């Protein structure tokens, strides 16, 4: 986790964004690279944000619905086993 988190300014001014969702966005942003992409696991997000798994899940969907992040599920096969994980993209500016 980096020492700096770049968060969309509009999120700070969004009075309809729940504080816990803003906290989750900040947590996600702390993992993001320069392009705003990150892939922390749910357990890591729960631990870092201090939230239950269900709260993180609802928060991620709320952030995606409000246009602050996009979520893309990736699949990777190695040695005959397939695993999936989510890639998160922070949306700094709406188009």
């Amino acid at each position: 986790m980096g020492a700096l988190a770049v968060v969309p300014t509009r999120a700070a001014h969004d009075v309809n964004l729940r504080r816990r969702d803003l906290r989750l966005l900040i947590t996600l942003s702390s993992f993001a690279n320069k392009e705003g992409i990150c892939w922390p696991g749910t357990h890591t997000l729960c631990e870092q944000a201090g939230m239950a798994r269900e709260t993180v899940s609802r928060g991620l969907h709320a952030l995606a619905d409000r246009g602050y992040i996009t979520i893309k599920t990736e699949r990777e096969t190695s040695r005959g086993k397939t695993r999936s994980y989510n890639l998160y993209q922070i949306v700094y500016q709406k188009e």
Side-chain angles (χ1 to χ4, degrees):
M1 186 161 80
L4 180 66
V6 179
V7 179
T9 305
R10 61 191 170 89
H13 302 289
D14 186 347
V15 296
N16 296 312
L17 184 63
R18 293 179 178 205
R19 288 182 185 180
R20 67 177 179 235
D21 295 340
L22 179 58
R23 181 184 182 109
L24 183 57
L25 180 59
I26 292 167
T27 302
L28 266 178
S29 297
S30 70
F31 289 99
N33 62 19
K34 291 179 182 178
E35 291 78 34
I37 298 171
C38 59
W39 51 94
T42 303
H43 177 78
T44 300
L45 290 174
C46 292
E47 206 171 72
Q48 295 296 318
M51 297 176 184
R53 185 179 192 87
E54 186 62 33
T55 305
V56 166
S57 179
R58 279 193 310 264
L60 290 169
H61 285 68
L63 291 170
D65 289 346
R66 297 189 66 75
Y68 291 110
I69 64 170
T70 59
I71 304 171
K72 181 179 179 186
T73 301
E74 294 285 323
R75 288 182 175 38
E76 187 176 87
T77 302
S78 177
R79 298 181 189 179
K81 292 186 179 182
T82 301
R83 74 176 196 98
S84 63
Y85 59 94
N86 289 330
L87 278 180
Y88 304 99
Q89 169 88 51
I90 310 298
V91 179
Y92 295 110
Q93 292 182 337
K94 275 189 167 181
E95 293 180 9

